[in-house]
Amino acid sequence: MCGIVGYIGDRQAAPILLDSLSKLEYRGYDSAGIAIRNAEEDVQVLKAKGRLNILAEKTDGGKAVTGTIGIGHTRWATHGEPSENNAHPHTADDRTVVGVHNGIIENYQKLKEKLTKRGYSFYSQTDTEAAVKLVDYYYRKYNCGPKDAISKAMVRIRGSYALVLMFNDYPDEIWVARKDSPMIIGTIKNETFIASDVPAILKYTRNVYYIDNLELARLTAGKAEFYNLDGDITDKELTEITWDAEAAEKGGFEHFMMKEIYEQPKAVGDTLNSMLTDGKIDFGKIGLSDDIIKNISQIYIVACGSAWHAGMVSQYVIEELSGTPVRVELASEFRYRKPILDRNGLVVVISQSGETADSLAALREAKEKGIRTLAVVNVVGSSIAREADNVFYTLAGPEISVATTKAYSAQLIAGYCLALQLGFSKGVLGEPEYMRMIAELQALPDKIEKILQDKERLQWFASKISNKKDVFFVGRGIDYAVSLEGSLKMKEISYVHSEAYAAGELKHGTISLIEDGTPVIGILTQGGLYEKTVSNMAECKARGAYLCGVTTYGNYETEETADFVTYVPKADEHFIGSLAVIPLQLLGYYLSVSRGLDVDKPRNLAKSVTVE
Ligand code: G6P
């Protein structure tokens, strides 16, 4: 949520900030703003409601405002409607302090009351304005420097923040502070960059510092100095980002989503290969020896959104291949549910960004209870990756489109690897079966490639249903878990209402919503469940539904029931979710395109949800 950037160096700041913000728009896009200054001149603040391009036009691509130091923000509204007034940067009354913020200040009302009593007035409904004015208050009251003023404010503020501040009296510095919201600091020669996420600065530098929770930093051109809350300097290592800068560009595709759909064979292959040693899965690489794995009594998968859906698929696969009981929990529920956890269990937190607030809180909850935690994360150095006991990095590369595709596919691979290793080390899977299944996983990238070659038929089908108001997805077992993701993909980017149902459950209420022509999409990849689901689809057809089947090549009799059928290659049924999901992603994509919507930036959503 919300993208923040900063720059201090010898180039003009505004064009760089606008460029960096354009890479972070997936974090929020209801308004944008920048604050720019020169050493000698006062800060200039420019804001615009709506997408970043409106701000870019207003500032002539940044050329209209000069200065080599600046901060910027794209907003995903939490407190106060999207408006120019609520857009960041926010300022103290005479612009002594100017700041941008990502996160939520939970006690902002209390802070506002306190500050109002001391003569402050507020022009916006945001929590951020309270934070900036609190810093200003301490700065004046104690006549102290930025470091002490920020530290004092950090002690008072409850909630989460990545805060970037400029002080009028300190023209060569930017100050940052962090708790539970992502922020990285990049340096190169005599330039320093600040961003919520790597793609924003990848073009400029690969050398980054990860600021820790409850730390602050003083940034000057090319330098960063970190402090803890006591004001002591903390040591920080520079980390090199290995992501390729081009990976964060559209590369000729019309949308990031389609580009990322096409990157799935690579994401799947790379993630799998990273876990193989001499042809076998090797969790020892990430600190989980076979001995540890063998003794895991129970798996708790905790995640949000599509990552939770990847967990749902994994649940079926892990239980079937290893006999280990699995629970899949929504992180937002898990954290407040007082879960009873087996001490020999493993909590697996799945997250593309590694920053989702609820998933991070769930991870901490598990750690507090003394349960081993494994993070399945895509973004290196993210909060969840840093706090978990063990980390399985999915190698999907930067994912920009709000609707996840390649990260989800890579998360499935993590689930399969865990299932196979649990099964093998517990003796549930014999070596030949284990090796056969690894070969099945290795064959997935080519099969995904093959599905992508047949995408025009799905484009046609999407145009056929583009004016429908409801769509239902049905399936059983793994097919049901995949339906959940297919349905989410569709509704989040096409705004067509869709629901996924366990095929046998539809008749317990939801079937009353089926009308003449309502599309029902059945996922039919599990041999033992095929006929059952087809029967459920036929029940819908009898009530007027327009049926689509997603099944494997060879199941041509599906065409006798369904009005439209799309095929995926055959594969071991445990892993076929990785194939069945591809047509569903394409369907969501084409439906969004045919309805003329902004595929990569669906309304009301943000890619990385760093608030509760
Ligand atoms: C947001 C995104 C989803 C994502 C979910 C969890 O809602 O729009 O695509 O699945 O957050 O994000 P994470 O980064 O934890 O995987």
Side-chain angles (χ1 to χ4, degrees), residues 251-472:
F253 285 88
E254 201 178 333
H255 300 103
F256 277 112
M257 183 175 175
M258 188 52 107
K259 174 178 177 252
E260 289 161 6
I261 286 175
Y262 266 82
E263 285 170 347
Q264 290 184 106
K266 181 166 173 6
V268 163
D270 288 355
T271 303
L272 177 64
N273 289 335
S274 75
M275 287 303 283
L276 296 179
T277 304
D278 299 333
K280 287 189 173 162
I281 296 165
D282 180 7
F283 271 84
K285 287 183 180 184
I286 59 166
L288 287 171
S289 64
D290 272 357
D291 248 9
I292 298 176
I293 295 217
K294 192 160 61 193
N295 291 312
I296 292 171
S297 59
Q298 163 100 36
I299 303 277
Y300 309 95
I301 300 179
V302 190
C304 302
S306 295
W308 181 74
H309 294 160
M312 288 292 284
V313 174
S314 304
Q315 176 187 36
Y316 289 98
V317 184
I318 295 171
E319 289 196 338
E320 270 187 40
L321 295 185
S322 75
T324 313
V326 183
R327 280 191 70 134
V328 190
E329 303 251 7
L330 290 165
S332 52
E333 290 294 309
F334 179 89
R335 62 182 295 192
Y336 294 119
R337 197 176 59 78
K338 304 198 173 52
I340 297 160
L341 304 176
D342 188 314
R343 287 198 73 76
N344 298 316
L346 175 72
V347 170
V348 182
V349 179
I350 308 180
S351 174
Q352 187 283 128
S353 62
E355 300 292 350
T356 302
D358 285 322
S359 304
L360 180 59
L363 172 83
R364 289 178 181 162
E365 172 84 22
K367 284 191 79 175
E368 210 155 276
K369 289 190 149 63
I371 315 294
R372 182 185 280 277
T373 54
L374 168 67
V376 175
V377 164
N378 196 43
V379 177
V380 174
S382 55
S383 302
I384 292 174
R386 281 188 292 155
E387 292 190 27
D389 298 315
N390 304 91
V391 188
F392 183 131
Y393 278 116
T394 50
L395 301 187
E399 194 179 59
I400 310 294
S401 174
V402 167
T404 177
T405 50
K406 60 175 179 168
Y408 167 86
S409 284
Q411 287 161 355
L412 291 183
I413 297 299
Y416 303 155
C417 285
L418 188 58
L420 284 174
Q421 211 53 25
L422 278 163
F424 187 48
S425 35
K426 287 180 184 232
V428 179
L429 285 180
E431 184 151 352
E433 189 60 353
Y434 169 78
M435 295 308 291
R436 183 189 68 75
M437 289 207 176
I438 292 176
E440 283 280 344
L441 293 185
Q442 286 170 318
L444 287 176
D446 284 349
K447 293 180 182 177
I448 296 175
E449 204 84 68
K450 180 149 194 250
I451 302 168
L452 292 173
Q453 284 161 16
D454 200 20
K455 62 185 195 317
E456 279 70 27
R457 291 186 69 243
L458 287 155
Q459 185 170 12
W460 173 84
F461 180 68
S463 67
K464 195 126 178 79
I465 62 168
S466 69
N467 60 351
K468 301 291 178 190
K469 67 179 198 319
D470 301 301
V471 177
F472 294 90

